[in-house]
Amino acid sequence: MNQTVKGITYVSVWVLLWGTASSLADFVLLQRGTYETGTSGQLLTFAAYGLAALVMGVRLSGRFLKTED
């Protein structure tokens, strides 16, 4: 597979994982009344999950984006 396509697919999967995980966490926190829609708590939830996805994506990238010799 072309390295460019591999990279785009890899990043796209991480964006989908980040969006899904943070949305599920946000839903639970909103249902429990931890914070309201549009508050800094909601921003912090999405930012924290984004940072976690970024760190995990960078750490795991070597396994998935190896060049095929």
Side-chain angles (χ1 to χ4, degrees):
M1 180 187 290
N2 181 330
Q3 280 300 105
T4 302
V5 172
K6 232 180 184 180
I8 290 170
T9 302
Y10 185 76
V11 170
S12 298
V13 168
W14 275 106
V15 169
L16 287 171
L17 288 172
W18 163 72
T20 302
S22 58
S23 292
L24 288 172
D26 180 53
F27 176 75
V28 170
L29 292 170
L30 285 171
Q31 292 298 310
R32 291 184 178 177
T34 305
Y35 55 68
E36 297 294 321
T37 303
T39 61
S40 59
Q42 197 170 33
L43 174 66
L44 184 61
T45 298
F46 281 90
Y49 273 82
L51 182 60
L54 174 69
V55 169
M56 288 173 47
V58 168
R59 287 190 175 201
L60 295 174
S61 64
R63 291 184 182 180
F64 299 99
L65 299 177
K66 285 190 248 183
T67 56
E68 297 169 5
D69 296 327

